Amino acid sequence: MRLLSLSLLGALLGYLLYSLAPYRTLTVLGALRKYPDGMVAKDEVIVIPDTVHCEDLHYHASSGTLFTACEDNSETRFKWFPPLANFDDPELAGKARGSIHVIDPRTLTSRRLKFENFDGPFITHGIDVIPDSEWTDGEAVYIFAVNHVPETQASGAKGPDARSQLEVFHHVIKSSTIRHLRSVWHPLIRTPNDVFAQSPTSIYVTNDHQYRHHGLMRALEDVYFSAKWTDLVHIRLDSLKAADSSTGVTASVALSPMHNNNGLGHGRTENEILISSCTSGILHIGQVPANNIGNVTISESIELDHIADNPTYFKDPYATSNDDRSGFLEAGLARAVDLASTQRDPTAKDPVMVTYITPAKGAAGWEKRIIFEDDGTRLRSVSAAVLIAIDPKEESGARKARLFITGFLSKNMVVLKVDL
């Protein structure tokens, strides 16, 4: 019956797309994009082991370290992932034990951190990493993570829905452990996707859907760009120590209405926030209030030709006054229109695209270049990409970087060398 319902929903979605959607909708969702067999990335792609279903990725430049949150079990995501309206097996979700990984961008090895004061369940999604100002820069960080735990009934049974929350951790760089400080829950955190930490006690969270379950209204809010039914929530914590997830938590809506809010990222300045409207394929550049008073404001929006997931900013460490390759990265599915039929299939392929966005030379606006594209063979699904520059001396003066890419349904994270 579930497969039949999804088939009917797929047919309805197809009708809405081809009959009612404008050309830009068809482009962003990939309805007009084809990937014949064998259309794979030609670059040398290196697989990073033990990086199963890692949805988000952050580079901590001070320590030269990559952080990600991984599901670790290839079975869980196909049976429980509320962001895709998959609530099939809440009991399995109640036993899920995802983890935070540290990746060395030089050796390309992944290391799972051992939890202290935390025993799950942990169903991973978006994360953020900020320095602990009480330590020397590069020595310790706070890590904030979305956790899609199933709700627990009075009987002890799990489900049927999620009671998603945030987890706050602390990690000393180069150590093997990560300490859980507290969980965070508030009624305004309904369908959390990603998190942006302004400080350890001031956090922004996106809700990515108004409608949690498959149906006409959820399909409509995905494909109809004027369905601005999601928001950005500002969370304030009284303390980083609390026995209960709702203790000392206040929240307010910081930005609305938005269409299909999704990933968040840190921009060029301390108060610049990057916000993705996923299925409308837009990267918004905004400002958070410096004193935590007031709403987030949007200053510019950049349209892409694919859906927009987790945005990142690449700061060129080898920039000169005449040559600065700094820019934004947006990663997304190349054929998001197929996701309803592939998301529960471990053998399916989901094509991917990564766009590198830099200021236009000699003019206003932005240059947008696809720096990775694949039919899903090298990397199934993509939700985050990070650039780490290579010293030009190692490349005979050429400007190159290593591109790290991961996805919510990818078996492993991959890395390749790209031209800047």
Side-chain angles (χ1 to χ4, degrees):
M1 181 62 71
R2 181 181 299 276
L3 291 176
L4 177 59
S5 298
L6 287 175
S7 297
L8 292 173
L9 180 60
L12 175 60
L13 181 60
Y15 172 79
L16 288 171
L17 275 173
Y18 290 99
S19 301
L20 305 177
Y23 180 79
R24 172 157 171 77
T25 306
L26 299 175
T27 300
V28 171
L29 297 181
L32 306 178
R33 199 173 284 129
K34 304 296 182 183
Y35 286 90
D37 289 341
M39 187 178 176
V40 299
K42 304 302 181 184
D43 309 273
E44 181 184 359
V45 175
I46 300 172
V47 171
I48 301 178
D50 190 30
T51 49
V52 178
H53 299 167
C54 309
E55 197 272 347
D56 202 359
L57 182 64
H58 286 260
Y59 180 53
H60 183 242
S62 299
S63 64
T65 304
L66 287 161
F67 289 91
T68 187
C70 304
E71 203 64 28
D72 292 337
N73 185 333
S74 59
E75 181 183 14
T76 306
R77 184 132 300 174
F78 296 107
K79 295 184 177 181
W80 177 271
F81 196 47
L84 295 181
N86 185 339
F87 302 90
D88 291 357
D89 195 338
E91 292 297 333
L92 175 66
K95 302 173 184 176
R97 297 294 184 271
S99 63
I100 303 295
H101 290 228
V102 173
I103 296 172
D104 187 325
R106 295 165 294 277
T107 63
L108 305 183
T109 54
S110 175
R111 178 167 56 92
R112 300 188 193 189
L113 297 178
K114 182 180 179 181
F115 286 124
E116 293 180 348
N117 194 37
F118 185 69
D119 191 29
F122 190 32
I123 296 91
T124 60
H125 200 174
I127 66 168
D128 196 13
V129 181
I130 62 171
D132 181 349
S133 60
E134 295 185 0
W135 290 62
T136 300
D137 190 28
E139 291 189 352
V141 294
Y142 289 101
I143 300 175
F144 302 80
V146 174
N147 185 6
H148 294 293
V149 295
E151 62 183 355
T152 302
Q153 303 300 326
S155 64
K158 302 297 182 181
D161 286 324
R163 190 181 185 274
S164 300
Q165 60 189 30
L166 307 180
E167 309 296 349
V168 184
F169 300 98
H170 187 268
H171 170 66
V172 177
I173 301 297
K174 296 183 179 180
S175 72
S176 62
T177 61
I178 182 169
R179 181 164 51 93
H180 184 253
L181 301 179
R182 66 165 297 168
S183 299
V184 178
W185 181 87
H186 190 276
L188 288 181
I189 304 176
R190 303 182 309 277
T191 54
N193 186 296
D194 203 3
V195 56
F196 174 104
Q198 188 178 23
S199 74
T201 56
S202 177
I203 312 159
Y204 292 87
V205 185
T206 51
N207 285 308
D208 60 24
H209 282 84
Q210 173 69 23
Y211 294 90
R212 296 189 179 195
H213 298 276
H214 286 299
L216 174 61
M217 296 306 293
R218 184 179 171 101
L220 184 63
E221 73 171 317
D222 281 339
V223 304
Y224 182 47
F225 293 176
S226 293
K228 297 180 178 182
W229 302 334
T230 60
D231 53 27
L232 179 69
V233 175
H234 184 207
I235 303 292
R236 294 171 296 280
L237 304 178
D238 289 347
S239 172
L240 291 178
K241 296 180 180 180
D244 183 82
S245 60
S246 60
T247 300
V249 180
T250 57
S252 60
V253 174
L255 181 64
S256 73
M258 297 286 286
H259 177 247
N260 201 205
N261 250 1
N262 196 283
L264 296 171
H266 292 264
R268 296 161 291 187
T269 64
E270 183 178 348
N271 293 323
E272 187 171 82
I273 184 172
L274 310 178
I275 309 170
S276 294
S277 283
C278 184
T279 56
S280 49
I282 297 177
L283 168 62
H284 303 285
I285 302 173
Q287 295 288 323
V288 297
N291 56 4
N292 293 332
I293 300 175
N295 293 333
V296 171
T297 56
I298 299 297
S299 58
E300 190 170 1
S301 298
I302 303 171
E303 292 187 348
L304 305 166
D305 288 339
H306 55 78
I307 68 169
D309 211 308
N310 293 311
T312 59
Y313 175 64
F314 165 67
K315 183 178 181 180
D316 183 2
Y318 303 104
T320 66
S321 58
N322 299 319
D323 185 11
D324 188 346
R325 309 296 174 96
S326 301
F328 303 110
L329 281 179
E330 269 288 9
L333 298 180
R335 281 191 54 86
V337 66
D338 296 331
L339 189 57
S341 60
T342 62
Q343 65 173 356
R344 286 176 169 82
D345 182 359
T347 66
K349 294 195 297 185
D350 292 289
V352 302
M353 300 176 79
V354 179
T355 298
Y356 177 37
I357 307 162
T358 54
K361 294 179 176 62
W366 301 91
E367 292 183 0
K368 292 168 277 188
R369 175 164 61 95
I370 303 297
I371 58 172
F372 183 79
E373 186 173 14
D374 188 75
D375 71 347
T377 300
R378 299 287 190 93
L379 181 73
R380 178 190 174 177
S381 83
V382 66
S383 46
V386 166
L387 280 171
I388 300 180
I390 300 173
D391 190 334
K393 295 178 182 178
E394 299 179 15
E395 298 292 337
S396 302
R399 297 306 319 276
K400 294 181 180 290
R402 290 184 177 87
L403 175 65
F404 293 81
I405 327 171
T406 189
F408 54 94
L409 292 176
S410 59
K411 293 180 180 178
N412 290 102
M413 187 181 303
V414 300
V415 58
L416 65 150
K417 190 181 294 186
V418 297
D419 295 318
L420 292 176

